[in-house]
Amino acid sequence: MPTRQQLLPEPARRVAAWCAVALLVAGVAWVGIRLCVELETAVVPLLLALLGTALLRPVYLALRRAKVQRSLAAGLTCALILIVVGGAGYIVVAALIDTGDQIVASVKQAATDLSDRFGTGALDLDHLADSGQDLLKKYGGSAASGVLSGLSVVGEIVAMAVLALLLCFFFLRDAERFRTALRQAAPANGETLEAIARRSFHSIAGFMRGTTLIALIDATCIGVGLLILRVPGAVGLAALVFVGAYIPYLGAFISGAVSVLVALADRGFVIALWALGVVLAVQVLEGHVLQPMIQSRTVQMHPAVVLLAITGGASVAGIIGMLLAVPLTAAAFGILSELRARYGDGGAVSRETAAGSSSPAADGS
C-alpha cells in the first residue's frame, strides 16, 4: 500500500520536537521561579540553611566522631554559626563604620578631581547635593511614612534568619532521615535520587568553603598591600573585598575600583597605580592559583555562566539573588554531572543497560 505523504519533512519535525521540549522546560522553570518569588519568606531561609549546613557540616561530623549526642552536636554547630556570622558581621560593619566616612570622602574627592580634569558636566557634585536636598524636602513626608514599612522589613529579615538557623539545626541533626525520605519518595530510583542530592550538596559545600577561604586570602593580601601603601581606610576596604568575594567577578571589580579611587584621592596618582597593581596581582593570583588549587574538586563554571547567573539572580531577587545564584548554579552543574555519569555514554547505567540488552534473556533466547 502507498505510504501517506508526511506533512513536514523529518528535519522540520525534529526541530519542532526540540522546540516543544524547550518550551516545556522553560514553562516549568518559569513556574518554579514564580513560586519561589511568591514564597520568598520560606525559600530564602531554606537556601541559607542549606548554605550554612554545607559550610559547617564538617564541624558537626567532628563532634559526632567525638561521641557528642546528635542534638547537642547540631546545637553547638548552630551556635558556632551564630558566632562566626555574628563575629564576621561585627568586624565588617565596625570596620566600615570606622572608616566609612573617610572612604566616602575619598571617593567624593576622587570624583571631584576627575570632574575638574575632564569637565564638570557629568560630575557636578554640588548640583547633585542640592538636588538631593530638594528631593528630601519634597518627599520627606512620604519617606517618614515608610519607616513603619522599613521596620516590618527588618522584622521579616530577623524572622527569616531565625527560621534559617532552625532549619540548619534540623538539616544537621536529621540528615539520615532526609536521605531515607528521598529513597522512599522514589522506591524504583531512590539510590539515583539520593546520589543526585548528595552531588548537588557537595557542589554547594565545595563552593562555599572555597569561596570563604579565597575571600579571606584576597581580603588579607589587599588589606596588607593598602596598609603598606598607607591608604586610608585600608581595614574597611579589606572588609569590603571580603564581602564582595561572595559575588564572583562583579564584587571583586567593585571593591577593587573603590580601593583604587580612595588611593587616588588621598595618596595621589602614583600610589593609585600601586594600589591598582596590588588589586590586579591578587586577582591574577586568585584566578590562576587559588581557584584551581582550592576549588579543583568542585564544579568548574565558565565566567560567562557565572555572570549570567548573577544577572538572573539579581533580576529575580535583588542582592539575595546575586548571593545565592552562583551556589545554586554550582548545584545544578553537580546534578547534571551526576546524571551524565549515570546515564550518559559510558555511564554506569548505560553499561548496565548495554549488558542487559546483550544478555540471552534480553534477546529472548
Side-chain angles (χ1 to χ4, degrees):
M1 295 180 61
T3 59
R4 186 174 58 182
Q5 186 178 4
Q6 295 179 349
L7 182 62
L8 293 175
E10 182 67 19
R13 289 191 292 116
R14 290 182 179 180
V15 171
W18 279 110
C19 289
V21 172
L23 287 175
L24 179 61
V25 172
V28 172
W30 184 83
V31 172
I33 291 174
R34 293 307 306 172
L35 286 176
C36 291
V37 172
E38 293 296 328
L39 301 175
E40 180 183 3
T41 308
V43 173
V44 171
L46 174 63
L47 296 177
L48 292 177
L50 285 174
L51 295 182
T53 304
L55 184 62
L56 292 179
R57 181 165 172 78
V59 177
Y60 171 80
L61 295 178
L63 291 174
R64 291 291 294 142
R65 286 192 295 268
K67 307 301 181 181
V68 179
Q69 196 266 343
R70 287 192 304 123
S71 297
L72 180 58
L76 291 176
T77 306
C78 290
L80 181 61
I81 292 176
L82 283 177
I83 294 173
V84 171
V85 175
Y90 174 78
I91 292 173
V92 171
V93 171
L96 291 177
I97 289 177
D98 293 339
T99 61
D101 294 338
Q102 194 174 15
I103 292 174
V104 171
S106 300
V107 173
K108 182 178 179 181
Q109 183 61 41
T112 303
D113 295 340
L114 293 175
S115 175
D116 294 339
R117 179 174 302 229
F118 297 106
T120 59
L123 294 173
D124 193 346
L125 299 179
D126 293 334
H127 176 69
L128 291 177
D130 294 338
S131 299
Q133 291 177 357
D134 294 337
L135 289 174
L136 183 61
K137 292 177 181 178
K138 185 176 181 179
Y139 297 104
S142 59
S145 64
V147 171
L148 293 179
S149 62
L151 291 177
S152 66
V153 170
V154 172
E156 183 178 338
I157 292 175
V158 172
M160 287 194 296
V162 173
L163 178 58
L165 190 64
L166 291 175
L167 288 175
C168 188
F169 172 82
F170 291 125
F171 288 162
L172 289 170
R173 190 191 67 176
D174 301 327
E176 186 60 35
R177 294 183 181 179
F178 289 121
R179 283 196 291 267
T180 303
L182 280 177
R183 288 193 294 267
Q184 294 176 350
N189 297 305
E191 182 184 353
T192 301
L193 189 60
E194 181 186 354
I196 290 174
R198 186 186 300 112
R199 176 66 72 92
S200 62
F201 182 80
H202 287 170
S203 298
I204 295 177
F207 173 81
M208 288 299 297
R209 294 168 195 160
T211 301
T212 302
L213 182 56
I214 290 173
L216 183 61
I217 295 175
D218 286 355
T220 302
C221 293
I222 292 179
V224 170
L226 295 178
L227 285 173
I228 293 174
L229 295 174
R230 291 185 295 173
V231 175
V235 177
L237 293 172
L240 187 63
V241 171
F242 179 83
V243 174
Y246 286 93
I247 305 177
Y249 303 111
L250 185 61
F253 173 78
I254 294 175
S255 60
V258 172
S259 301
V260 174
L261 282 176
V262 172
L264 175 65
D266 282 88
R267 299 286 291 148
F269 184 74
V270 176
I271 299 299
L273 287 179
W274 278 103
L276 178 62
V278 170
V279 172
L280 292 178
V282 172
Q283 295 304 318
V284 170
L285 176 67
E286 173 189 339
H288 292 82
V289 178
L290 296 180
Q291 284 189 350
M293 182 175 61
I294 294 175
Q295 294 185 334
S296 59
R297 298 183 180 180
T298 61
V299 178
Q300 298 294 325
M301 294 178 290
H302 193 276
V305 176
V306 174
L307 292 176
L308 288 175
I310 293 173
T311 304
S315 63
V316 172
I319 296 178
I320 293 295
M322 295 176 68
L323 293 174
L324 297 177
V326 180
L328 291 180
T329 305
F333 270 77
I335 293 174
L336 291 176
S337 177
E338 181 66 26
L339 291 176
R340 189 183 304 114
R342 286 179 167 265
Y343 298 105
D345 294 337
V349 176
S350 299
R351 289 195 297 270
E352 293 174 1
T353 304
S357 62
S358 62
S359 63
D363 294 337
S365 56

